[in-house]
Amino acid sequence: MIKIGDFYEEIISFSKEDIKIFAGVSGDFNPIHINEQYAKSSIFGGTIVHGMLAASVFSKIFGTKFPGEGTIYLSQDLKFLAPVFPNVEYVARVEVTEIIKEKHNAVFSTTLVDGEKHQCISGFAKIKHKELI
Amino acid sequence: MIKIGDFYEEIISFSKEDIKIFAGVSGDFNPIHINEQYAKSSIFGGTIVHGMLAASVFSKIFGTKFPGEGTIYLSQDLKFLAPVFPNVEYVARVEVTEIIKEKHNAVFSTTLVDGEKHQCISGFAKIKHKELI
């Protein structure tokens, strides 16, 4: 059973190809993500990963790793604190902060942190798992 | 300039192919999204769209429609209230609820509603737009 303080970490990076694919499937062709020239002259100095693509790592972790199969995603809040750049490694971490046993729900902190320990994305998620919570 | 009450609506649906593509790019191969047999015997009765894929419509709207180019996504919270099914039409709506003029920020309500007016996703987003807010 899952308990408070349990966590899962994973190193992740997104390629420019991932960004193109996400732009296609989401329809978000904001040039900051896909137009090198446009992005170079922006405050970010280059193309950045869609926030929702970067945050999808939490969906992946919950749905396939921890707790894994059987997870139902109830909520996710996300603060996009700093840009996520392509081809850079980040650490995605989810950690149990609250258990609502009678509902089989748990709250997790969800963070994406860069190599200098700065949070690029932070937030909380609530999930349901009938067997593990 | 954007003002409180301004909104944008769009009809959207996601195909099973969209789901497969999102599973690939996010790594979220939770069988509830991609395994028909598994999903049929679940409480949903069939495969469902990843919450983060469905919610990416808000990213698309902000980044390309309203306010469009120049938008910086600051935060998004999401409640996944009901399953989003493939090949079903939903109405995505964003509406300005607050303007923080001095920071060029605005808060939007963000909802995805099914044909029976039930909210499947609800939440709020904060964005920055130097020219339009």
Side-chain angles (χ1 to χ4, degrees):
Chain A
M1 298 299 275
I2 285 174
K3 56 187 193 307
I4 290 177
D6 287 355
F7 69 95
Y8 181 91
E9 276 188 0
E10 181 170 321
I11 294 172
I12 191 157
S13 76
F14 297 91
S15 68
K16 292 191 178 182
E17 185 60 24
D18 291 334
I19 294 175
K20 268 188 209 158
I21 292 169
F22 184 81
V25 74
S26 68
D28 186 352
F29 291 96
N30 186 333
I32 197 65
H33 303 302
I34 48 168
N35 184 326
E36 296 287 347
Q37 204 126 15
Y38 174 94
K40 250 184 204 158
S41 65
S42 77
I43 56 163
F44 302 123
T47 54
I48 60 171
V49 179
H50 299 77
M52 296 296 267
L53 170 57
S56 72
V57 67
F58 305 128
S59 170
K60 168 195 170 183
I61 291 174
F62 292 135
T64 70
K65 308 281 185 177
F66 177 63
E69 198 187 304
T71 292
I72 296 173
Y73 215 172
L74 297 179
S75 70
Q76 173 75 62
D77 65 66
L78 300 163
K79 288 199 170 76
F80 303 114
L81 302 171
V84 174
F85 294 103
N87 303 320
V88 173
E89 289 190 341
Y90 296 88
V91 177
R93 180 185 173 102
V94 307
E95 179 175 334
V96 182
T97 60
E98 192 186 344
I99 303 269
I100 306 113
K101 192 78 193 168
E102 65 279 14
K103 290 187 173 176
H104 303 287
N105 292 353
V107 179
F108 292 68
S109 63
T110 56
T111 55
L112 192 75
V113 174
D114 70 13
E116 292 167 340
K117 311 282 182 200
H118 296 132
Q119 288 192 359
C120 297
I121 302 180
S122 79
F124 288 89
K126 189 185 276 185
I127 66 161
K128 183 186 289 295
H129 197 295
K130 291 252 160 120
E131 287 81 38
L132 295 174
I133 302 172
Chain B
M1 301 295 277
I2 285 173
K3 55 186 194 307
I4 291 176
D6 287 354
F7 69 93
Y8 181 89
E9 275 188 359
E10 181 170 319
I11 294 171
I12 190 159
S13 75
F14 297 92
S15 67
K16 292 191 177 182
E17 186 60 23
D18 291 334
I19 294 176
K20 270 189 207 157
I21 292 169
F22 184 81
V25 75
S26 68
D28 186 353
F29 290 97
N30 185 333
I32 195 69
H33 304 302
I34 49 170
N35 183 325
E36 295 287 349
Q37 204 127 14
Y38 174 94
K40 248 183 206 162
S41 64
S42 76
I43 55 166
F44 301 123
T47 54
I48 60 171
V49 179
H50 298 78
M52 296 296 267
L53 170 57
S56 72
V57 66
F58 305 128
S59 171
K60 168 193 170 182
I61 291 172
F62 292 134
T64 69
K65 307 284 183 176
F66 177 64
E69 199 186 304
T71 293
I72 296 174
Y73 215 172
L74 299 177
S75 69
Q76 173 75 61
D77 65 65
L78 300 163
K79 287 200 171 76
F80 303 115
L81 302 171
V84 174
F85 295 102
N87 303 321
V88 172
E89 289 191 339
Y90 296 89
V91 178
R93 179 186 173 101
V94 307
E95 179 174 334
V96 182
T97 60
E98 190 186 346
I99 302 271
I100 306 115
K101 192 78 193 168
E102 64 279 14
K103 292 188 173 174
H104 303 286
N105 292 352
V107 178
F108 292 69
S109 63
T110 55
T111 53
L112 191 75
V113 174
D114 70 14
E116 291 168 343
K117 309 282 184 201
H118 296 132
Q119 289 192 359
C120 298
I121 301 180
S122 79
F124 289 89
K126 189 186 275 185
I127 66 160
K128 184 187 288 294
H129 197 296
K130 290 253 159 117
E131 288 81 39
L132 297 174
I133 302 173

